[in-house]
Amino acid sequence: MTDLEGCFECCIKCLGGIPYASLIATILLYAGVALFCGCGHEALSGTVNILQTYFEMARTAGDTLD
């Protein structure tokens, strides 16, 4: 049973060295960047739809503006 206790103590010591605050901050940073990019894409898509609907902008690359 001493081998199992040694493994447990080793795992606890290893987990004690993890910088949890930095790990959480990194996860929050990536989540914030993903949210910002997603919201920016949605806003730009809506803007393009409004411009195409109300200002009759060209819908394809070959079309020209009147």
Coordinates of all heavy atoms in Angstrom, one line a residue:
M1 N 0.8 -1.2 0.0 CA 0.0 0.0 0.0 C 0.9 1.3 0.0 O 0.4 2.3 -0.3 CB -0.9 0.0 1.2 CG -2.2 0.6 1.1 SD -3.1 0.0 -0.3 CE -4.7 0.5 0.1
T2 N 2.1 1.1 0.3 CA 3.0 2.3 0.3 C 3.3 2.9 -1.1 O 3.5 4.0 -1.2 CB 4.3 2.0 1.0 OG1 5.0 0.9 0.3 CG2 4.1 1.6 2.4
D3 N 3.2 2.0 -2.1 CA 3.5 2.4 -3.5 C 2.3 3.3 -3.9 O 2.5 4.3 -4.6 CB 3.6 1.2 -4.4 CG 4.0 1.6 -5.8 OD1 4.8 2.6 -5.9 OD2 3.6 1.0 -6.7
L4 N 1.1 2.9 -3.5 CA -0.1 3.7 -3.9 C -0.1 5.1 -3.2 O -0.4 6.1 -3.8 CB -1.4 3.0 -3.6 CG -2.7 3.6 -4.0 CD1 -2.7 3.8 -5.5 CD2 -3.9 2.8 -3.5
E5 N 0.3 5.1 -1.9 CA 0.4 6.4 -1.2 C 1.5 7.3 -1.8 O 1.3 8.5 -1.9 CB 0.7 6.1 0.3 CG -0.4 5.5 1.0 CD -0.1 5.1 2.4 OE1 1.1 5.3 2.8 OE2 -1.0 4.6 3.1
G6 N 2.6 6.7 -2.3 CA 3.7 7.4 -2.9 C 3.2 8.1 -4.2 O 3.5 9.2 -4.5
C7 N 2.4 7.3 -5.0 CA 1.9 7.9 -6.2 C 0.9 9.0 -5.9 O 0.9 10.0 -6.6 CB 1.2 6.8 -7.0 SG 0.5 7.3 -8.6
F8 N 0.1 8.9 -4.9 CA -0.9 9.9 -4.5 C -0.2 11.2 -4.1 O -0.5 12.3 -4.5 CB -1.8 9.4 -3.4 CG -2.8 10.4 -2.9 CD1 -3.9 10.7 -3.7 CD2 -2.6 11.0 -1.7 CE1 -4.8 11.6 -3.3 CE2 -3.6 12.0 -1.3 CZ -4.7 12.3 -2.1
E9 N 0.8 11.0 -3.3 CA 1.6 12.2 -2.9 C 2.3 12.9 -4.0 O 2.3 14.1 -4.1 CB 2.6 11.8 -1.8 CG 2.0 11.4 -0.5 CD 3.1 10.8 0.5 OE1 4.3 10.8 0.1 OE2 2.7 10.3 1.6
C10 N 2.8 12.1 -5.0 CA 3.5 12.7 -6.1 C 2.5 13.4 -7.0 O 2.8 14.5 -7.5 CB 4.1 11.5 -6.9 SG 5.0 12.1 -8.4
C11 N 1.2 12.9 -7.1 CA 0.2 13.6 -7.9 C -0.2 14.9 -7.3 O -0.4 15.9 -7.9 CB -1.0 12.7 -8.1 SG -0.7 11.3 -9.3
I12 N -0.4 14.9 -6.0 CA -0.8 16.1 -5.2 C 0.3 17.1 -5.3 O 0.0 18.3 -5.5 CB -1.1 15.7 -3.7 CG1 -2.3 14.8 -3.6 CG2 -1.2 17.0 -2.9 CD1 -3.6 15.5 -4.2
K13 N 1.6 16.7 -5.2 CA 2.7 17.7 -5.4 C 2.7 18.3 -6.8 O 2.9 19.5 -6.9 CB 4.0 17.0 -5.1 CG 5.2 17.9 -5.0 CD 6.5 17.2 -4.9 CE 6.6 16.5 -3.5 NZ 8.0 15.9 -3.3
C14 N 2.5 17.4 -7.8 CA 2.5 17.9 -9.1 C 1.3 18.9 -9.4 O 1.5 19.9 -10.0 CB 2.4 16.7 -10.1 SG 2.5 17.2 -11.8
L15 N 0.1 18.6 -8.9 CA -1.0 19.4 -9.1 C -0.9 20.7 -8.3 O -1.5 21.8 -8.7 CB -2.3 18.7 -8.6 CG -2.8 17.6 -9.6 CD1 -4.0 16.9 -9.0 CD2 -3.1 18.2 -10.9
G16 N -0.1 20.7 -7.2 CA 0.1 21.9 -6.5 C 1.0 23.0 -7.2 O 1.0 24.1 -6.9
G17 N 1.7 22.5 -8.2 CA 2.6 23.4 -9.0 C 1.9 24.1 -10.2 O 2.5 24.9 -10.9
I18 N 0.7 23.7 -10.4 CA 0.0 24.3 -11.6 C -0.5 25.7 -11.2 O -1.2 25.9 -10.2 CB -1.2 23.4 -12.0 CG1 -0.8 22.1 -12.5 CG2 -2.1 24.1 -13.1 CD1 -1.9 21.1 -12.7
P19 N -0.2 26.7 -12.1 CA -0.7 28.1 -11.8 C -2.1 28.2 -12.3 O -2.4 28.6 -13.4 CB 0.3 28.9 -12.7 CG 0.7 28.0 -13.8 CD 0.7 26.7 -13.2
Y20 N -3.0 27.9 -11.4 CA -4.5 27.9 -11.7 C -5.0 29.3 -12.2 O -5.8 29.4 -13.1 CB -5.3 27.4 -10.5 CG -5.1 25.9 -10.3 CD1 -4.4 25.5 -9.2 CD2 -5.6 25.0 -11.2 CE1 -4.2 24.1 -9.0 CE2 -5.4 23.6 -10.9 CZ -4.7 23.2 -9.9 OH -4.5 21.9 -9.7
A21 N -4.5 30.4 -11.5 CA -5.0 31.7 -11.9 C -4.6 32.0 -13.4 O -5.4 32.5 -14.1 CB -4.4 32.7 -11.0
S22 N -3.4 31.7 -13.8 CA -2.9 31.9 -15.1 C -3.7 31.0 -16.1 O -4.0 31.4 -17.2 CB -1.4 31.6 -15.3 OG -0.7 32.5 -14.5
L23 N -4.0 29.8 -15.7 CA -4.7 28.9 -16.6 C -6.2 29.4 -16.8 O -6.6 29.4 -17.9 CB -4.8 27.5 -15.9 CG -5.4 26.4 -16.7 CD1 -4.6 26.1 -18.0 CD2 -5.4 25.1 -15.9
I24 N -6.8 29.8 -15.7 CA -8.2 30.4 -15.9 C -8.1 31.7 -16.7 O -9.0 31.9 -17.5 CB -8.8 30.6 -14.5 CG1 -9.0 29.3 -13.8 CG2 -10.0 31.4 -14.6 CD1 -9.4 29.4 -12.4
A25 N -7.1 32.5 -16.5 CA -7.0 33.8 -17.2 C -6.8 33.5 -18.7 O -7.4 34.2 -19.6 CB -5.9 34.6 -16.7
T26 N -6.0 32.5 -19.1 CA -5.8 32.1 -20.4 C -7.1 31.6 -21.1 O -7.4 32.0 -22.2 CB -4.7 31.1 -20.5 OG1 -3.5 31.6 -19.9 CG2 -4.4 30.7 -22.0
I27 N -7.8 30.8 -20.4 CA -9.1 30.3 -20.9 C -10.1 31.4 -21.1 O -10.8 31.5 -22.2 CB -9.7 29.2 -20.0 CG1 -8.8 28.0 -20.0 CG2 -11.1 28.9 -20.3 CD1 -9.1 26.9 -19.0
L28 N -10.2 32.4 -20.2 CA -11.1 33.5 -20.3 C -10.6 34.4 -21.5 O -11.5 34.9 -22.2 CB -11.1 34.3 -19.0 CG -11.9 33.7 -17.9 CD1 -11.7 34.5 -16.6 CD2 -13.3 33.5 -18.3
L29 N -9.3 34.5 -21.7 CA -8.8 35.3 -22.8 C -9.3 34.7 -24.1 O -9.8 35.5 -25.0 CB -7.3 35.4 -22.7 CG -6.6 36.1 -23.9 CD1 -6.9 37.6 -23.9 CD2 -5.2 35.8 -24.0
Y30 N -9.0 33.4 -24.3 CA -9.4 32.8 -25.6 C -10.9 32.8 -25.8 O -11.4 33.0 -26.9 CB -8.9 31.4 -25.6 CG -7.4 31.3 -25.9 CD1 -6.6 30.5 -25.1 CD2 -6.9 32.0 -26.9 CE1 -5.2 30.5 -25.4 CE2 -5.5 32.0 -27.2 CZ -4.7 31.2 -26.4 OH -3.3 31.1 -26.7
A31 N -11.7 32.7 -24.7 CA -13.2 32.8 -24.8 C -13.6 34.2 -25.2 O -14.5 34.3 -26.1 CB -13.8 32.4 -23.5
G32 N -12.9 35.2 -24.7 CA -13.3 36.6 -25.0 C -12.9 36.9 -26.5 O -13.7 37.6 -27.2
V33 N -11.8 36.4 -26.9 CA -11.4 36.6 -28.3 C -12.4 36.0 -29.3 O -12.8 36.5 -30.3 CB -9.9 36.2 -28.6 CG1 -9.6 36.1 -30.1 CG2 -9.0 37.1 -27.8
A34 N -12.8 34.7 -29.0 CA -13.7 34.0 -29.8 C -15.1 34.7 -29.8 O -15.7 34.9 -30.9 CB -13.9 32.6 -29.3
L35 N -15.5 35.2 -28.7 CA -16.8 36.0 -28.6 C -16.7 37.2 -29.4 O -17.6 37.6 -30.1 CB -17.1 36.2 -27.1 CG -18.5 36.9 -26.9 CD1 -19.6 35.9 -27.3 CD2 -18.6 37.2 -25.4
F36 N -15.6 38.0 -29.3 CA -15.4 39.2 -30.0 C -15.5 39.0 -31.5 O -16.1 39.7 -32.3 CB -14.1 39.9 -29.6 CG -13.8 41.1 -30.4 CD1 -14.4 42.3 -30.0 CD2 -12.9 41.1 -31.4 CE1 -14.1 43.5 -30.7 CE2 -12.6 42.3 -32.1 CZ -13.2 43.5 -31.7
C37 N -14.7 37.9 -32.0 CA -14.7 37.6 -33.4 C -16.1 37.2 -33.9 O -16.5 37.6 -35.0 CB -13.7 36.5 -33.7 SG -12.0 37.1 -33.5
G38 N -16.8 36.4 -33.1 CA -18.1 35.9 -33.5 C -19.1 37.1 -33.6 O -19.9 37.2 -34.6
C39 N -19.1 38.0 -32.6 CA -20.0 39.1 -32.6 C -19.6 40.1 -33.8 O -20.5 40.7 -34.4 CB -19.9 39.8 -31.3 SG -20.7 38.9 -30.0
G40 N -18.4 40.3 -34.0 CA -17.9 41.1 -35.1 C -18.4 40.6 -36.5 O -18.9 41.3 -37.3
H41 N -18.3 39.3 -36.6 CA -18.7 38.7 -37.9 C -20.2 38.8 -38.1 O -20.7 39.1 -39.1 CB -18.3 37.2 -37.9 CG -18.7 36.5 -39.1 ND1 -20.0 35.8 -39.3 CD2 -18.1 36.3 -40.3 CE1 -20.0 35.3 -40.5 NE2 -18.9 35.6 -41.1
E42 N -21.0 38.6 -37.0 CA -22.4 38.8 -37.0 C -22.8 40.2 -37.4 O -23.7 40.5 -38.2 CB -23.0 38.3 -35.7 CG -24.6 38.3 -35.7 CD -25.1 37.3 -36.6 OE1 -24.5 36.3 -36.9 OE2 -26.3 37.5 -37.1
A43 N -22.1 41.2 -36.8 CA -22.5 42.6 -37.0 C -22.1 43.0 -38.5 O -22.9 43.7 -39.1 CB -21.7 43.5 -36.1
L44 N -21.0 42.5 -39.0 CA -20.6 42.8 -40.4 C -21.6 42.1 -41.4 O -21.9 42.7 -42.4 CB -19.2 42.4 -40.6 CG -18.2 43.3 -40.0 CD1 -16.8 42.8 -40.2 CD2 -18.2 44.7 -40.5
S45 N -22.0 40.9 -41.1 CA -23.0 40.3 -41.9 C -24.3 41.0 -42.0 O -24.9 41.2 -43.0 CB -23.2 38.8 -41.5 OG -22.0 38.1 -41.5
G46 N -24.7 41.5 -40.8 CA -26.0 42.3 -40.8 C -25.8 43.6 -41.5 O -26.8 44.0 -42.2
T47 N -24.7 44.2 -41.4 CA -24.5 45.5 -42.1 C -24.5 45.3 -43.6 O -25.1 46.0 -44.3 CB -23.1 46.1 -41.7 OG1 -23.1 46.3 -40.3 CG2 -22.8 47.4 -42.4
V48 N -23.9 44.2 -44.1 CA -23.9 43.9 -45.5 C -25.3 43.6 -46.0 O -25.8 44.1 -47.0 CB -23.0 42.7 -45.8 CG1 -23.2 42.2 -47.2 CG2 -21.5 43.1 -45.6
N49 N -26.1 42.9 -45.2 CA -27.5 42.6 -45.5 C -28.3 43.9 -45.6 O -29.1 44.1 -46.5 CB -28.1 41.7 -44.5 CG -27.7 40.3 -44.7 OD1 -27.3 39.9 -45.8 ND2 -27.8 39.5 -43.7
I50 N -28.1 44.8 -44.7 CA -28.8 46.1 -44.7 C -28.4 46.9 -45.9 O -29.3 47.5 -46.6 CB -28.6 46.9 -43.4 CG1 -29.3 46.2 -42.2 CG2 -29.0 48.3 -43.5 CD1 -28.9 46.8 -40.9
L51 N -27.1 47.0 -46.2 CA -26.7 47.7 -47.4 C -27.2 47.1 -48.7 O -27.7 47.9 -49.6 CB -25.2 47.8 -47.4 CG -24.5 48.7 -46.3 CD1 -23.0 48.5 -46.4 CD2 -24.9 50.1 -46.5
Q52 N -27.3 45.8 -48.8 CA -27.8 45.2 -50.0 C -29.3 45.4 -50.1 O -29.8 45.5 -51.2 CB -27.4 43.7 -50.0 CG -26.0 43.5 -50.3 CD -25.6 42.0 -50.2 OE1 -26.4 41.2 -49.7 NE2 -24.4 41.6 -50.7
T53 N -30.0 45.4 -49.0 CA -31.5 45.5 -49.0 C -31.9 46.9 -49.3 O -32.8 47.1 -50.2 CB -32.1 45.1 -47.7 OG1 -31.7 43.7 -47.4 CG2 -33.6 45.1 -47.7
Y54 N -31.4 47.9 -48.6 CA -31.9 49.3 -48.7 C -31.2 50.1 -49.7 O -31.7 51.1 -50.2 CB -31.9 49.9 -47.4 CG -32.8 49.2 -46.4 CD1 -32.4 48.4 -45.4 CD2 -34.2 49.4 -46.6 CE1 -33.2 47.8 -44.5 CE2 -35.1 48.8 -45.7 CZ -34.6 48.0 -44.7 OH -35.5 47.4 -43.8
F55 N -30.0 49.8 -50.1 CA -29.2 50.6 -51.0 C -28.9 50.0 -52.3 O -28.1 50.5 -53.1 CB -27.9 51.1 -50.3 CG -28.1 52.0 -49.1 CD1 -28.0 51.5 -47.9 CD2 -28.6 53.3 -49.3 CE1 -28.2 52.2 -46.7 CE2 -28.8 54.1 -48.2 CZ -28.6 53.5 -46.9
E56 N -29.5 48.8 -52.6 CA -29.4 48.0 -53.8 C -27.9 47.9 -54.3 O -27.6 48.3 -55.4 CB -30.2 48.7 -54.9 CG -31.7 48.7 -54.5 CD -32.5 49.4 -55.6 OE1 -32.0 49.7 -56.6 OE2 -33.7 49.5 -55.3
M57 N -27.0 47.5 -53.4 CA -25.6 47.3 -53.7 C -25.5 46.1 -54.5 O -26.3 45.2 -54.5 CB -24.8 47.3 -52.5 CG -24.7 48.6 -51.7 SD -23.5 48.6 -50.4 CE -22.0 48.4 -51.3
A58 N -24.3 46.0 -55.2 CA -24.1 44.8 -56.1 C -24.0 43.6 -55.2 O -23.4 43.6 -54.2 CB -22.8 45.0 -56.8
R59 N -24.6 42.5 -55.7 CA -24.6 41.2 -54.9 C -23.5 40.3 -55.3 O -23.1 39.5 -54.5 CB -25.9 40.5 -55.1 CG -27.1 41.4 -54.6 CD -28.3 40.5 -54.4 NE -29.5 41.3 -54.2 CZ -29.8 41.9 -53.0 NH1 -28.9 41.8 -52.0 NH2 -30.9 42.6 -52.8
T60 N -22.9 40.4 -56.5 CA -21.8 39.6 -56.8 C -20.6 40.4 -57.3 O -20.8 41.6 -57.5 CB -22.2 38.6 -58.0 OG1 -22.5 39.3 -59.1 CG2 -23.3 37.7 -57.5
A61 N -19.5 39.8 -57.5 CA -18.3 40.6 -57.9 C -18.4 41.1 -59.3 O -17.8 42.2 -59.6 CB -17.0 39.7 -57.7
G62 N -19.2 40.5 -60.2 CA -19.3 41.0 -61.5 C -20.3 42.1 -61.7 O -20.3 42.8 -62.7
D63 N -21.2 42.3 -60.8 CA -22.2 43.4 -60.9 C -21.5 44.7 -60.6 O -20.5 44.8 -59.9 CB -23.3 43.1 -59.9 CG -24.1 41.9 -60.2 OD1 -24.1 41.4 -61.3 OD2 -24.8 41.4 -59.3
T64 N -22.2 45.7 -61.2 CA -21.7 47.1 -60.9 C -22.8 47.9 -60.2 O -23.9 47.6 -60.3 CB -21.3 47.8 -62.3 OG1 -22.5 47.8 -63.1 CG2 -20.2 47.1 -63.0
L65 N -22.3 48.9 -59.6 CA -23.3 49.8 -58.9 C -23.9 50.8 -59.9 O -23.3 51.2 -60.9 CB -22.6 50.6 -57.8 CG -22.0 49.9 -56.6 CD1 -21.2 50.8 -55.7 CD2 -23.2 49.2 -55.9
D66 N -25.2 51.1 -59.7 CA -25.9 52.0 -60.6 C -25.7 53.4 -60.1 O -25.6 53.7 -59.0 CB -27.4 51.7 -60.6 CG -27.7 50.4 -61.3 OD1 -26.9 50.0 -62.1 OD2 -28.8 49.8 -61.0

